[in-house]
């Protein structure tokens, strides 16, 4: 984890925060910080797999803004795993897992992110406890403590 804070000092985050993914998606995505969820997930559609230089990859479309279909951002990432994930409704689904750099406030660190159709959900991004482990404390009474949305012109 790269941070402007000392390694022993944990970053306090609210129950929702703006997160970017340098190198994948610069548009901020509003995330629900969910310590009850083990795995992180982002809303992805039109998921297509392919092989590049002998390694499995995935292309997909991200809609970073809630309840909007624009912008539609095409992304490509190497697949690091495929896992059976149990959703909040108890259903099991196979999902592709990618590893990306996440940026929240002044902290950038690698996380695993599953690709899922989260259209019916309130948030396009869910940050689970594996991604938050070790570096963050959650204040459930606050929002956007560590991050502010940067509007691009």
């Amino acid at each position: 984890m790269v941070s402007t804070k000392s390694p022993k000092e944990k970053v306090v985050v609210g129950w929702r925060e703006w997160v970017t993914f340098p190198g994948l998606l610069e548009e901020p995505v509003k995330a629900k910080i969910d310590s009850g969820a083990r795995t992180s997930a982002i809303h992805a559609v039109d998921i297509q797999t392919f092989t590049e230089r002998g390694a499995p990859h995935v292309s997909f479309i991200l809609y970073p803004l809630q309840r909007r279909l624009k912008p539609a951002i095409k992304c490509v990432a190497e697949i690091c795993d495929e896992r059976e994930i149990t959703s909040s409704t108890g259903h099991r689904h196979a999902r592709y897992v990618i590893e990306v750099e996440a940026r929240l406030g002044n902290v950038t660190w690698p996380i695993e992110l599953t690709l899922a159709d989260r259209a019916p959900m309130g948030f396009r991004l869910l940050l689970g406890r594996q991604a938050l482990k070790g570096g963050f404390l959650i204040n459930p009474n606050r929002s956007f403590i560590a991050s502010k949305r940067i509007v691009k012109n």
Side-chain angles (χ1 to χ4, degrees), residues 6-71:
S6 68
K8 292 182 182 182
E9 188 178 345
K10 296 191 188 271
V11 176
V12 177
V13 297
W15 72 274
R16 55 190 176 157
E17 293 286 350
W18 291 103
V19 178
T20 59
F21 300 99
L24 179 71
L25 176 71
E26 294 300 324
E27 179 75 30
V29 181
K30 191 188 306 178
K32 179 180 180 184
I33 309 300
D34 189 351
S35 63
R38 181 179 193 278
T39 309
S40 299
I42 194 161
H43 177 60
V45 297
D46 195 22
I47 298 169
Q48 304 289 324
T49 60
F50 63 97
T51 301
E52 185 174 294
R53 288 176 257 170
H57 283 70
V58 64
S59 68
F60 50 96
I61 303 293
L62 294 179
Y63 299 108
L65 301 177
Q66 286 177 240
R67 297 178 292 282
R68 296 202 182 142
L69 296 179
K70 290 185 180 179

Side-chain angles (χ1 to χ4, degrees), residues 90-105:
H91 295 94
R92 293 182 62 79
H93 305 279
R95 291 189 194 166
Y96 294 110
V97 181
I98 61 173
E99 187 171 292
V100 296
E101 291 287 313
R103 183 166 181 79
L104 172 54

